[in-house]
Amino acid sequence: MTQDQRDEIDRLVNIFINGLTSISKDAGWEGDSLLSRVIEFAGCPPRPTGYDQSNMAMINAIRFLFGSNPDLPRIKAAINLLLKSNQAQIEAILHKHFYRGLNERTDRSFTDADRARLCNQDERAFRYNVTSAYKLIDRELDRVDLVFAEFYEMTG
């Protein structure tokens, strides 16, 4: 596998993780509860005006659904298919990409040992699983691309 292929898989895995953790997952729920309104108004919130706001709520929820990455369906399909048969490898690569930067518990950067522990794998197995995951994802993306191409050809 070339470095360019690994870089592309890194990019796609990050898109997948961003898709899982993005605010679009909260569409329709912005946390505007009674408690948040009491805090916002520093006491009792004003009485409702009686005007229906359901259309505005729908518009606000929909705006969170726009802007998702066009590569998300592709990597999502590949990872979801692989999770069924290669769970340890996929969990390892997801942990490698999700747990980056400073570990607030230890005040140091996450290491592979930390990531391995977080996904209940031995450090050596974790590293092997990450390497294997790159190959698995590369092959699965080729299959997903064929299926998507056939679908687009059929729906033309």
Side-chain angles (χ1 to χ4, degrees):
M1 170 173 292
T2 68
Q3 186 59 45
D4 287 343
Q5 288 171 308
R6 285 179 67 91
D7 291 345
E8 177 64 6
I9 290 171
D10 287 340
R11 185 183 77 79
L12 291 171
V13 169
N14 285 326
I15 288 170
F16 178 79
I17 290 172
N18 288 339
L20 287 177
T21 59
S22 75
I23 195 154
S24 67
K25 289 292 179 195
D26 294 331
W29 177 256
E30 293 187 57
D32 193 20
S33 64
L34 179 58
L35 179 58
S36 69
R37 289 176 48 90
V38 168
I39 292 168
E40 179 182 350
F41 290 102
C44 290
R47 296 183 59 82
T49 62
Y51 296 109
D52 184 40
Q53 292 293 312
S54 62
N55 290 339
M56 183 57 72
M58 176 78 72
I59 290 168
N60 287 334
I62 289 172
R63 81 169 191 260
F64 285 117
L65 298 176
F66 292 107
S68 67
N69 193 299
D71 286 327
L72 182 58
R74 183 174 170 238
I75 188 62
K76 191 174 183 181
I79 286 179
N80 285 335
L81 288 168
L82 288 169
L83 270 172
K84 294 175 185 170
S85 57
N86 304 91
Q87 185 173 349
Q89 289 85 0
I90 299 306
E91 285 180 358
I93 199 165
L94 292 176
H95 277 74
K96 181 170 180 61
H97 286 270
F98 184 77
Y99 292 104
R100 293 182 173 259
L102 186 66
N103 180 345
E104 292 180 9
R105 263 192 22 209
T106 62
D107 284 332
R108 60 178 178 78
S109 293
F110 282 102
T111 64
D112 280 348
D114 297 328
R115 295 177 190 112
R117 191 172 39 260
L118 287 165
C119 67
N120 298 317
Q121 296 181 16
D122 172 84
E123 186 177 355
R124 188 172 175 188
F126 174 81
R127 288 187 176 138
Y128 173 81
N129 286 335
V130 169
T131 302
S132 297
Y134 279 103
K135 296 172 189 167
L136 291 167
I137 291 171
D138 188 50
R139 273 187 264 140
E140 196 62 38
L141 284 170
D142 289 341
R143 287 181 27 171
V144 167
D145 289 345
L146 284 172
V147 170
F148 281 10
E150 289 175 10
F151 174 77
Y152 290 127
E153 188 176 298
M154 288 174 28
T155 59

